[in-house]
């Protein structure tokens, strides 16, 4: 294993010092050859060791797709426990050197897989009166829109869920009223409010894509 290991790293809330008694322990192995993922319980704490080969990681970083924002943000916040401590910064440099045209191409190629189906599910839930399912569709829509906006802005966020969404509010290219509408949707429990804000956010998102000639 040691000959295969490039670096063994800690990430997530534990690496940032924001973990709690209930936080899982997340680790990443960057290797030369493939190694299976491992997970086990230490008491009630989930310990997960994910792995990725250097070749696949560099491919994701140099040729952006929907995985690029996740891995770029991951590399920014890794703590190396064993192996070559200089590697994460070198990988992150690869991510930062990607030209804008590659991000735009990635967004165009993945556009149909992001936001549209999830947003449609919001209105399907309302039409079927499955109000208990609306909130899941809202979260999916917002997280997918965050990914699309990361690609449009050639950048990433450093956190998950609402904290990561808040980071995206600072991007340069955003749908009109995106911080307000996204916050309302995340916090809303009213089908009427969700319907109104979803329609406006989607309309503004489409206008942004059109203005950026992303179709």
């Amino acid at each position: 294993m040691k000959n295969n290991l490039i670096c063994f790293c800690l990430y997530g809330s534990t690496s940032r010092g924001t973990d709690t008694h209930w936080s899982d322990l997340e680790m990443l192995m960057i290797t030369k050859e493939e190694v299976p993922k491992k997970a086990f319980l230490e008491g009630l704490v989930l310990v997960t060791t994910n792995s990725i080969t250097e070749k696949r990681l560099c491919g994701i970083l140099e040729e952006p797709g929907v995985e690029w924002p996740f891995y770029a943000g991951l590399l920014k916040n890794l703590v190396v426990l064993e192996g070559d401590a200089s590697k994460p910064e070198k990988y992150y440099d690869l991510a930062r050197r990607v030209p804008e045209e590659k991000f735009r191409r990635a967004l165009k190629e993945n556009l149909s897989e992001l936001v549209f189906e999830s947003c449609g599910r919001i209105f399907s839930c309302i039409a079927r009166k499955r109000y208990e399912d609306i909130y899941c569709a809202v979260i999916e829509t917002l997280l997918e829109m965050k990914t699309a906006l990361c690609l449009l802005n050639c950048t990433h966020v450093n956190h998950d869920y609402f904290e990561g969404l808040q980071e995206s509010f600072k991007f340069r290219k955003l749908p009109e009223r995106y911080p307000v509408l996204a916050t309302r949707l995340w916090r809303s429990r009213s089908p009427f409010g969700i319907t109104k804000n979803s329609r406006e956010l989607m309309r503004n998102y489409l206008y942004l894509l059109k203005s950026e000639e992303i179709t």
Side-chain angles (χ1 to χ4, degrees), residues 130-164:
R130 295 296 303 268
Y131 302 125
E132 64 274 16
D133 294 334
I134 295 174
Y135 191 58
C136 293
V138 167
I139 298 304
E140 289 174 356
T141 300
L142 293 174
L143 294 182
E144 289 177 11
M145 188 173 291
K146 181 190 69 178
T147 297
L149 293 174
C150 282
L151 293 175
L152 181 62
N153 287 274
C154 313
T155 191
H156 62 84
V157 297
N158 299 297
H159 296 85
D160 297 324
Y161 303 113
F162 188 64
E163 199 168 0

Side-chain angles (χ1 to χ4, degrees), residues 28 52 56-57 60-61 67-76:
L28 177 70
I52 188 169
R56 181 167 181 267
L57 178 60
I60 290 170
L61 298 174
E67 292 181 299
W68 187 94
F70 170 77
Y71 280 101
L74 192 68
L75 289 166
K76 179 71 173 173

Side-chain angles (χ1 to χ4, degrees), residues 109-129:
E109 290 174 352
N110 293 282
L111 195 63
S112 61
E113 299 177 25
L114 298 169
V115 181
F116 294 99
E117 182 181 359
S118 298
C119 191
R121 196 174 297 120
I122 294 172
F123 299 105
S124 292
C125 288
I126 292 169
R128 295 170 183 150
K129 297 184 179 180

